[in-house]
Amino acid sequence: MFSKILIANRGEIALRIIRACREMGIKTVCVYSEADRHGPWLEVSDEAYCIGPAPSAKSYLDISRIMATAEIADVDAIHPGYGFLAENAHFAEVCQSSGIAFIGPSPEAIRLLGNKASARDLAIKSKVPLLPGTKDLVEDDKEAIEIANDIGYPVIVKAAAGGGGRGMRVAHNEIALVNGYMQARTEAATAFKDDGVYIEKYLERPRHVEIQIISDSHGNYVYCGERDCSLQRRHQKLVEEAPSPIMTPELRQKMGETAIRLCKAANYVTAGTAEFLLDKNGNFYFMEVNTRIQVEHPVSELVTRTDLIRAQIMAAAGEKLPFTQDDVEVRGHAIEVRINAEDPDAGFRPSPGKITDLVIPGGPGVRWDSHIKVGYSIPPNYDSMVAKLLVFADDRPKAIARMRRALGETKIEGIKTTIPLHQRIMNDANFINGDVDTGYIENVLLAK
Ligand code: MV4
């Protein structure tokens, strides 16, 4: 097993990884930017090194500064968390060639699945269900029109290098398609330096259901149930839960086995997530694989009683997973809300600043994953998420009641947060009935 791990991240996920390492007897090294000098997670790390100024490009994304620290601190492995360098194949390669384990999949698996067009191709070969669409990149608008006429409108143009909703255009007719096709290419060229796009049939108002997988280098693959992440705003998830309100044991097994088939075909090792769209009739369609540990991983930990960070570290160290598929049973219900330093009444404008008072919720079935404390100033430079509040209960109605209760206990003073919006969601009739889709927040709740 590793004796020391460098954490190339910040905030709550840095703290989550430190906690797992401490329980495993592994020493931790944090790298941080000047803006994070007073980051509370640094106090519980064994070592911490400032590697540069506030802009991510000069700190959390600067591979040479991170690798220099890894060498000096003499670590065995690097955990990238999520965001920043987590899905950067080049970084995984640099780690490999420096003899430092990257806690994540191989550079080849990141590359193969990171490109949505090659992931789609692999899904076809692995008999994973997809929406009708192109097998290859679409070279010009004439070809785009032919494909759309073939599969029928509406269609969606997606950047091959994109993900998480960037570089996408929906078209309901030929004129919109020609425009959308060019816009998607231009946007992709700017954002990803890769203007490749592909086309799919557009599914209206789907649910977003993703399968958590974890595997080791001994060929063991386990799926840890699903998460329903349908409640989003502008591709930012707000609430995640497990199980999905519309899941059945049969569908879970089918989706889980499908996710594993795809990950096996990519020689995928460690934690990953296969994202699917689910329609009202229980049909599911593969979207993409996220080759990292995700923000919402704790909801799966709660319902399957696993420690995914521990399992991820064990797999990266070449050990066997600490559980098998037979050990993993979905029990109870978990909900996570993302508490962001944003003002929901002002278009979700970021609200950084100093925490002047803080009451952390507790009691039965409550988990608080956060790095904040009184006197800490949220810097304006990074993601606005300040806490993940999770609840666990026997069933969904009890979990919702528990979340209402936990949100009521929570007090974060000095900044605006998304807590009032979460209270509204937990009292919303559609949410309570499990009747929401990916358009619900923007089209219904915020329009009410
Ligand atoms: C889609 C879709 C409908 N049809 N693809 C957005 C994120 C990316 N991973 C996939 N996305 C979508 N792809 C087809 N063919 C609708 C979305 C989508 C969406 C998906 C999940 C969660 C929220 C969403 C919000 C808008 C659109």
Side-chain angles (χ1 to χ4, degrees):
M1 183 39 70
F2 304 131
S3 50
K4 212 196 242 188
I5 290 175
L6 182 144
I7 299 162
N9 217 300
R10 62 180 302 283
E12 74 83 22
I13 194 62
L15 181 57
R16 170 72 187 87
I17 298 162
I18 292 169
R19 284 170 168 161
C21 288
R22 180 100 347 127
E23 290 176 17
M24 296 173 82
I26 300 169
K27 292 223 171 333
T28 58
V29 176
C30 282
V31 289
Y32 64 94
S33 75
E34 285 166 12
D36 281 338
R37 213 172 267 293
H38 303 289
W41 66 95
L42 302 174
E43 291 166 30
V44 288
S45 178
D46 294 295
E47 297 171 49
Y49 300 94
C50 184
I51 56 163
S56 307
K58 296 195 151 122
S59 48
Y60 297 106
L61 291 173
D62 189 325
I63 294 176
S64 54
R65 287 172 192 233
I66 294 167
M67 295 314 292
T69 311
E71 295 290 349
I72 291 163
D74 194 25
V75 303
D76 313 304
I78 297 182
H79 198 307
Y82 49 68
F84 297 123
L85 296 168
E87 291 171 277
N88 185 314
H90 171 64
F91 181 57
E93 222 158 48
V94 171
C95 291
Q96 208 172 51
S97 60
S98 311
I100 293 170
F102 175 76
I103 303 173
S106 67
E108 295 77 23
I110 298 175
R111 264 196 199 103
L112 178 62
L113 297 170
N115 183 293
K116 312 305 164 213
S118 60
R120 203 171 194 282
D121 201 41
L122 187 72
I124 295 169
K125 290 192 185 113
S126 314
K127 300 202 173 6
V128 167
L130 289 163
L131 284 158
T134 46
K135 199 177 169 302
D136 300 303
L137 298 178
V138 181
E139 294 307 330
D140 54 40
D141 51 4
K142 190 170 145 283
E143 192 189 334
I145 293 165
E146 281 167 20
I147 293 156
N149 285 337
D150 210 39
I151 62 183
Y153 290 92
V155 298
I156 183 165
V157 185
K158 294 183 177 182
R166 293 189 301 165
M168 305 193 323
R169 286 291 183 286
V170 178
H172 289 266
N173 55 56
E174 193 170 309
I175 293 169
L177 175 63
V178 172
N179 287 323
Y181 172 79
M182 291 320 277
Q183 285 166 354
R185 279 194 83 140
T186 309
E187 197 175 301
T190 313
F192 317 115
K193 299 190 191 79
D194 175 353
D195 71 351
V197 297
Y198 63 100
I199 294 180
E200 268 181 3
K201 176 85 183 170
Y202 179 67
L203 188 65
E204 313 249 17
R205 319 206 68 162
R207 292 186 83 106
H208 171 135
V209 175
E210 56 188 33
I211 300 286
Q212 176 70 55
I213 74 107
I214 177 94
S215 60
D216 62 25
S217 56
H218 303 271
N220 300 305
Y221 284 79
V222 176
Y223 60 90
C224 295
E226 78 287 357
R227 296 183 286 262
D228 193 313
C229 310
S230 298
L231 285 185
Q232 317 203 354
R233 180 188 165 268
R234 299 198 179 164
H235 303 294
Q236 293 297 312
K237 294 169 185 163
L238 293 168
V239 178
E240 301 101 343
E241 62 183 305
S244 168
I246 58 160
M247 189 54 62
T248 63
E250 296 72 34
L251 181 58
R252 175 176 301 126
Q253 187 180 345
K254 218 160 98 187
M255 290 182 76
E257 286 170 0
T258 301
I260 286 184
R261 202 159 64 241
L262 184 67
C263 290
K264 273 188 180 162
N267 268 320
Y268 193 96
V269 175
T270 67
T273 299
E275 190 183 306
F276 297 93
L277 296 185
L278 188 57
D279 72 16
K280 294 198 165 47
N281 305 316
N283 300 306
F284 61 91
Y285 307 97
F286 169 69
M287 288 287 112
E288 56 189 72
V289 174
N290 299 133
T291 61
R292 61 171 188 277
I293 193 76
Q294 287 187 284
V295 172
E296 61 271 27
H297 76 275
V299 298
S300 301
E301 295 184 321
L302 291 171
V303 295
T304 60
R305 298 168 307 288
T306 54
D307 182 336
L308 292 168
I309 305 289
R310 171 188 279 263
Q312 196 187 21
I313 292 169
M314 288 174 73
E319 295 194 3
K320 285 190 175 149
L321 292 178
F323 45 78
T324 66
Q325 191 66 63
D326 286 340
D327 299 323
V328 175
E329 180 199 345
V330 175
R331 208 175 70 197
H333 201 96
I335 304 176
E336 170 178 284
V337 298
R338 298 188 186 192
I339 301 176
N340 292 347
E342 291 171 0
D343 185 355
D345 293 329
F348 293 84
R349 181 173 58 204
S351 175
K354 193 178 193 142
I355 312 280
T356 54
D357 195 8
L358 177 66
V359 178
I360 294 173
V366 175
R367 173 169 165 179
W368 178 258
D369 276 24
S370 172
H371 57 289
I372 65 172
K373 64 175 191 179
V374 171
Y376 172 60
S377 283
I378 314 287
N381 315 78
Y382 312 106
D383 189 89
S384 64
M385 193 176 74
V386 295
K388 303 189 303 205
L389 170 58
L390 290 114
V391 296
F392 177 68
D394 291 341
D395 57 32
R396 192 170 186 270
K398 287 193 183 106
I400 294 172
R402 186 160 273 172
M403 182 60 88
R404 276 192 216 116
R405 185 271 289 172
L407 283 166
E409 281 178 22
T410 310
K411 192 158 109 180
I412 304 176
E413 299 284 315
I415 58 167
K416 291 270 202 300
T417 75
T418 46
I419 289 174
L421 175 68
H422 291 309
Q423 272 162 332
R424 233 181 111 185
I425 293 169
M426 294 303 139
N427 287 295
D428 181 79
N430 290 86
F431 177 74
I432 291 166
N433 292 326
D435 175 26
V436 295
D437 56 55
T438 53
Y440 187 72
I441 293 287
E442 279 146 297
N443 302 336
V444 186
L445 193 88
L446 293 176
K448 269 183 194 171

